[in-house]
Amino acid sequence: MGAQNTCSGTIAVDIMGGDKGPEEILRGICLALKNDPSLEGIVAVGADDVLDRFLAGEGKAYDGRLSVLKTSQVVDMNDKAVDAVKKKRDSSMMQAIDLVKSGNARAVLSCGNTGALMAGGTIKLRPLAGVERPAIATVIPCKGGHYVLLDSGANPDPDPEHLVHNAILGSNYAEWGLEVENPRVGLLTIGTEEGKGNERTIATHALLKQLDGVINYRGLIEGFQVYGGEVDVVVADGFVGNILLKTSESLYKFLIEEIKAEVASSSWMRKLGALMMKGVFVDLKKRLSPEQYGGAPFLGLKGNVLKSHGSSNRFAIASAIRIGVDLARRDMIGHTHDDIEQANKILELS
């Protein structure tokens, strides 16, 4: 294990996995500490030379709230998940997870290899009792607010029971992580009529209808309703969910680029009108930007694990840290455990 200064903090952040380099993640850490004076502390986990430069520069301003854990290895994007856990025990990612396991941090955040982070979180922290497979939850803007999508990529071929657990996990994340009162849950399929969808969807729907009082299940939804603000949680398998997520992000970027191109090629009168609307465009861009909720939690584990995009900038990192702090403070895991236990009893699941 690498040399360490101290490891008593609220959030452990793996600084080595981002496309923009560890310096950008460290700037996100500084931004999070600046934005939330009540934040107990952050542990930056990574290579000696990077952390030494940071502590001698920007990090000085946060002495007492910022600690570091120096490691000798890095999990690469092409590392196989299980190999990363077994062969890179002194990597920044695995050591950050270990801080949560030991109780020295209350959540871990990484921009690195998704499979390795999921494997490390599952093996080291273990799934919640009654949950077989964790799920990745992503917050996406919609009419009037946002919705939680899960699974957005962890489990592309689940059983109906896994999707039932996803519904409970997503409902608890919406309630305790995002402060949505009595969140409405919908199951994504190809139509809202009874019997629509494949065998997995039909079987899941039948199970979810039995959980009145555990979750606020609103039934089947289709693509037309996803952005209409009709539900707070959208449940899908990881295959469909990942496609929906990436399509949504691609559409956001496309619309922003098209608006810019249209304004640039317009007449001076239209440019003047666009200038007068600048405030509206800025607010809209801010609300729709994926940076607003920069961390996707792995739900269903006994510890809080969050994954950010590899391309995350400092603002997305600060946002992800805020989410991790909120989940820990509100004890989402404890509430989720109670609901999973109740649902499994109702459905007679092991």
Side-chain angles (χ1 to χ4, degrees):
M1 183 170 165
Q4 82 182 61
N5 292 15
T6 179
C7 56
S8 58
T10 300
I11 306 296
V13 181
D14 166 21
I15 69 167
M16 305 304 295
D19 298 342
K20 298 181 183 298
E23 290 80 6
E24 185 70 10
I25 297 175
L26 288 166
R27 293 188 181 101
I29 289 173
C30 289
L31 186 59
L33 290 167
K34 179 181 178 182
N35 290 343
D36 185 1
S38 69
L39 203 163
E40 179 186 336
I42 294 177
V43 185
V45 188
D48 292 30
D49 56 339
V50 178
L51 290 171
D52 286 341
R53 290 197 305 271
F54 177 65
L55 289 173
E58 289 181 67
K60 280 185 177 180
Y62 301 99
D63 186 38
R65 300 173 65 207
L66 174 66
S67 55
V68 302
L69 175 61
K70 298 176 181 179
T71 60
S72 62
Q73 294 177 301
V74 176
V75 173
D76 299 320
M77 287 300 181
N78 58 354
D79 282 335
K80 293 183 178 179
V82 177
D83 286 346
V85 178
K86 292 182 177 179
K87 299 178 181 179
K88 292 192 172 181
R89 296 179 181 178
D90 194 42
S91 64
S92 53
M93 180 185 290
M94 296 305 145
Q95 287 296 321
I97 296 172
D98 280 340
L99 288 176
V100 176
K101 180 180 179 180
S102 65
N104 288 313
R106 302 174 68 187
V108 58
L109 170 67
S110 177
C111 297
N113 185 315
T114 302
L117 185 63
M118 176 63 83
T122 303
I123 292 171
K124 291 174 176 288
L125 303 179
R126 310 306 301 167
L128 280 172
V131 176
E132 289 188 9
R133 300 185 186 181
I136 302 176
T138 306
V139 179
I140 300 178
C142 67
K143 181 180 179 180
H146 46 252
Y147 67 90
V148 177
L149 169 66
L150 77 168
D151 179 18
S152 54
N155 186 10
D157 190 24
D159 293 333
E161 292 80 4
H162 301 145
L163 290 179
V164 169
H165 290 157
N166 287 356
I168 297 168
L169 296 172
S171 178
N172 274 273
Y173 178 43
E175 182 172 1
W176 300 105
L178 305 176
E179 298 186 283
V180 177
E181 185 177 354
N182 196 26
R184 302 159 297 171
V185 179
L187 178 63
L188 185 61
T189 185
I190 58 173
T192 58
E193 303 87 357
E194 289 289 325
K196 280 283 189 175
N198 55 24
E199 291 182 6
R200 175 191 295 144
T201 303
I202 295 170
T204 303
H205 177 56
L207 294 173
L208 288 173
K209 287 193 294 184
Q210 301 177 50
L211 296 184
D212 185 35
V214 181
I215 60 172
N216 180 14
Y217 181 54
R218 294 300 183 90
L220 301 172
I221 61 169
E222 54 187 327
F224 293 123
Q225 298 165 283
V226 166
Y227 290 97
E230 296 182 33
V231 295
D232 305 298
V233 180
V234 173
V235 178
D237 62 62
F239 183 85
V240 172
N242 190 262
I243 292 173
L244 174 58
L245 170 63
K246 291 177 178 177
T247 300
S248 300
E249 293 179 347
S250 175
L251 179 60
Y252 162 77
K253 293 177 182 178
F254 168 74
L255 291 175
I256 294 295
E257 291 170 1
E258 285 295 297
I259 291 172
K260 289 180 179 178
E262 189 67 26
V263 171
S265 63
S266 296
S267 66
W268 69 268
M269 288 190 67
R270 294 184 71 180
K271 288 180 179 178
L272 178 61
L275 182 62
M276 296 175 67
M277 293 283 290
K278 183 178 179 180
V280 174
F281 290 139
V282 169
D283 289 345
L284 186 62
K285 182 179 179 181
K286 182 179 180 181
R287 194 178 85 77
L288 298 182
S289 173
E291 293 174 5
Q292 184 180 8
Y293 295 95
F298 292 170
L299 302 179
L301 297 174
K302 291 181 179 178
N304 293 304
V305 178
L306 293 101
K307 172 68 171 68
S308 283
H309 277 293
S311 60
S312 293
N313 60 24
R314 67 193 69 178
F315 302 104
I317 295 298
S319 172
I321 291 171
R322 173 183 54 80
I323 292 170
V325 171
D326 288 343
L327 294 181
R329 285 174 176 169
R330 296 167 186 160
D331 188 27
M332 181 196 69
I333 292 175
H335 295 290
T336 303
H337 173 269
D338 293 342
D339 285 349
I340 290 288
E341 186 175 51
Q342 184 180 356
N344 285 350
K345 286 181 179 178
I346 293 171
L347 301 177
E348 297 182 348
L349 302 176
S350 57

